[in-house]
Amino acid sequence: MHTHDTSVEVLTQAIVRYAVERVRMEPPLDGPRSQAELQAMAGDTISEHGMGGLEALRLFGDVLAPACISSDHPRFLSFVPTAPTEASVLFDLVVGASSIYGGSWMEGAGAVFAENQALRYIADLAGMPAEAGGVFVSGGTAGNLSALIAARHRWRQRAGGRFDRTRGLIISSKGAHSSIAQACRAMDTDEVSVTADAEGRLHVENLLEAIAGLAPEDRERVFAVVATCGTTNAGVIDDLTAAADIAEELGVWFHIDGAYGGAGLAAPSVRGRYDGIERADSFIVDPHKWLFAPYDCCALLYRDPLAARAAHRQHAEYLDVLHGEDDHHADQPWNPSDFAHHLSRRARGLPFWFSLAMYGTAAYSDAVETTLTVAHEGARLIEAAPHLELVMQPELSVVLFRRVGWTPQQYQGWSDRLLAEQTAFVVPTAWAGETVLRYCVVNPRTTLADIQLLIDTLS
Ligand SMILES: *Cc1c(COP(=O)(O)O)cnc(C)c1O
């Protein structure tokens, strides 16, 4: 298995050819199949003596890959799509080939150095201080959890043991992503979910009201305020300054979830909407969503990385060689494993770093602006179409709209038909209890003509 013979050489060529071809082409949308269908088509793939590399590659290309929707297709407009640059995908192959342990400076210094510069780009976009830093984790869910674990740790540490057995409480909003509630479940933490406005935004009045409504013993349990810049369903930005003020007044951690919308910081046309972000204690953004990197890549940044390290560093006889036993020693090597709930890690920030280094930051700003333009001009087309209505004016690149007079079944039927015909992948969502349509543009290859096509199929 570990020898490079002629059959491995043939396979190498075939795999690289497959990957390069996939990156180059406009992929088919494809679509899911049932377990039974896949079982019938693929059979039992694992056997005592194996099927051989070329056969496994054929099976992947003919059966398995087509049963996965191509989320980088320009008319994949559901959820939050992905749009990695060719360079980032190709470099992902290099990262995979390089067996880099990205958990420590000792083993991965070169990779960690480059990842940290990519993190710095994001920290600068957000206006975070020079000491800010963090790590690339698998996704927003992992980033939110890790940030909140650090927040709780600091709260308990500051209380000098008084709250070590007290259940914590966070203040978030109804517009927050489901991963915040999931983090609370994982941490056995309570959540006050503040009412959002009609567009799903967290506002100062509702925040103040929620705080005022807390019993004194609950107020003591609060360890973080969580705001969102770019809600997943509507793409709106909370009042970050108000949330920062409240966190400051309560003396608690301020976390901002920008998994989807954080990328908008790169776009001058909307940058002003993020005022207050520079006050975050922690902030996440997923480059695998709207910053053109492949899965799985979330940038997690802390204002005070030492606070995160205090919460996350693992100790073991065999690990202390990486950092010594004294956590508080000032000049320690930068070990990415210290900044999240993980230890071993792929240097998953490298594909993002490579593309950013290659193209420069201006190209990133331009690409984000392009998607915003298409999303917003698409909204104008919807406004002009007699059979359609905007649910709200878009703030970022998510657009919510309704087909006048349609039932939930009609929406679903339309969505199913579009995928079956391989036209587009656009699923309905719900807004204020009503089934509506939603598209999310993060792909610079998505054009206004693609949005027009949707509009035409809805008439
Ligand atoms: C997508 C998203 C998440 C979750 O990110 P994953 O990378 O899917 O784990 C969290 N918060 C927001 C606002 C998101 O849009």
Side-chain angles (χ1 to χ4, degrees), residues 105 111-121 133-136 334 336:
W105 187 269
V112 177
F113 171 86
E115 284 190 306
N116 284 349
Q117 291 201 342
L119 287 170
R120 188 65 242 170
Y121 159 67
V135 60
F136 288 99
W334 189 273

Side-chain angles (χ1 to χ4, degrees), residues 85 87-93 95 115 292-295 297 346-357 364:
T85 61
S88 68
V89 174
L90 292 171
F91 199 74
D92 207 19
L93 299 179
V95 176
E115 284 190 306
F292 322 118
Y295 298 117
C297 188
R346 173 181 175 82
R348 61 166 63 81
L350 283 182
F352 173 57
W353 162 78
F354 183 85
S355 180
L356 194 59
Y364 278 71

Side-chain angles (χ1 to χ4, degrees), residues 128-144:
M128 292 178 97
E131 319 78 71
V135 60
F136 288 99
V137 295
S138 62
T141 300
N144 285 332

Side-chain angles (χ1 to χ4, degrees), residues 374-391:
V374 168
H376 293 180
E377 286 182 2
R380 300 287 81 77
L381 295 178
I382 286 167
E383 261 179 333
H387 57 299
L388 303 178
E389 273 172 12
L390 282 183
V391 171

Side-chain angles (χ1 to χ4, degrees), residues 210-227:
I211 304 293
L214 286 178
E217 62 272 24
D218 284 337
R219 213 175 150 128
E220 275 203 335
R221 296 198 295 130
V222 177
F223 66 85
V225 171
V226 177

